[in-house]
Each structure stands twice: as C-alpha cells, then as structure tokens.
C-alpha cells in the first residue's frame, strides 16, 4: 500500500508511533510469533468507496472490522489518484485504491495473508483480486 502511494507522489510518516495522537501500530515483539499477527485494532470502511461496494456486493452491511494491522509507517499525504478506502480509529489510512487504474488495484496495511479467511472484509478483497486476475488471464489468453 505504501509503495503504491509513494509511486503516485504521496508521502509517508516514517514512525507514526512517535507522533502525538497516533496509536502504536507496530507488532508486539514480546508475543510469540503466531500471536503477533492477531487482530490489533479496528478499521472503518469509508462511505462511497470501492471496499464498501465490494462488501455490499457480498451482502455485508458492516463497515467496521478488526484487522491485524502491523506497521511503523503510514500515509502522511495521499498521492495523485489515490482513493482512501479505510482508516483506523486514529485516522491512519489503512486501505487505498487507485482511482485511475483500469483494473483492480488496492493496498492495505493489514496482513491479509495471515487472516483466517472467514472475515468478510478479507474475503471480498481476495475475491476481487482473484476475479481481476482471471479477467486478465482471459483478456490475454494465449499471449505472453
């Protein structure tokens, strides 16, 4: 997510945990490895966003989810064509999409790869990504 933002001219806070008013989003290194990736805080999906649409399309009307968001950097300034999709309770940007993209382009701060795969938020993102990959495969069928 952070690389997408910077690639489009955005800026980052390097150590958000050291800034007043922000939560410490870093991993708790004192915990056993498998416990470090449990949900740490909630994110709110913003109204009118791609994520809200994807959730509604899956029949989910909830807009607040607990996530395993672990990071020390955060977006300070959104880049050109970056749409903010979700924020933490301290307003740290937790998900973005690229409004000018011709295909599904989204970045998140949390570790979706560690998810238990039954959370509607992670499922809708995974499904949208899978669908975009399949569409790309069929669009380029036979081409390398």
């Amino acid at each position: 997510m952070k690389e997408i933002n910077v690639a489009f001219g955005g800026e980052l806070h390097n150590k958000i945990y050291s800034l007043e008013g922000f939560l410490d989003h870093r991993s708790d290194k004192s915990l056993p490895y498998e416990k470090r990736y449990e949900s740490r805080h909630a994110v709110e999906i913003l109204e009118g966003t791609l994520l809200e649409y994807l959730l509604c399309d899956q029949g989910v009307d909830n807009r607040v989810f607990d996530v395993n968001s672990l990071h020390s950097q955060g977006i300070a300034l959104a880049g050109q064509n970056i749409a903010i999709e979700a924020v933490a309770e301290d307003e740290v940007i937790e998900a973005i999409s690229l409004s000018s993209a011709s295909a599904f382009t989204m970045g998140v701060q949390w570790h979706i790869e560690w998810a238990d795969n039954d959370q509607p938020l992670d499922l809708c993102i995974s499904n949208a990504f899978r669908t975009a990959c399949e569409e790309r495969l069929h669009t380029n069928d036979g081409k390398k």
Side-chain angles (χ1 to χ4, degrees), residues 95-106:
I96 61 171
S97 64
L98 186 57
S99 60
S100 63
S102 60
F104 179 76
T105 305
M106 182 169 288

Side-chain angles (χ1 to χ4, degrees), residues 21-73:
F22 292 107
L23 299 172
D24 188 347
H25 291 252
R26 296 176 296 170
S27 172
D28 183 348
K29 303 283 193 246
S30 70
L31 294 173
Y33 193 75
E34 62 278 356
K35 294 282 190 189
R36 292 182 197 174
Y37 288 91
E38 292 180 349
S39 294
R40 292 290 303 263
H41 62 77
V43 296
E44 180 181 358
I45 309 308
L46 301 179
E47 289 185 43
T49 61
L50 175 59
L51 266 179
E52 183 186 45
Y53 168 79
L54 292 172
L55 286 164
C56 288
D57 195 46
Q58 300 279 320
V60 179
D61 60 2
N62 187 22
R63 288 194 12 238
V64 177
F65 298 89
D66 288 332
V67 295
N68 59 353
S69 184
L70 308 168
H71 52 91
S72 61
Q73 294 179 317

Side-chain angles (χ1 to χ4, degrees), residues 4 8 49-55 57-58 81 83 85 95-108 110 112 120-136 139:
I4 293 170
F8 284 85
T49 61
L50 175 59
L51 266 179
E52 183 186 45
Y53 168 79
L54 292 172
L55 286 164
D57 195 46
Q58 300 279 320
N81 297 318
E85 299 281 333
I96 61 171
S97 64
L98 186 57
S99 60
S100 63
S102 60
F104 179 76
T105 305
M106 182 169 288
V108 300
W110 62 92
I112 194 171
L121 177 60
D122 293 340
L123 285 173
C124 81
I125 294 169
S126 296
N127 290 341
F129 180 66
R130 185 177 301 107
T131 298
C133 290
E134 290 169 353
E135 288 173 358
R136 177 67 183 227
T139 299

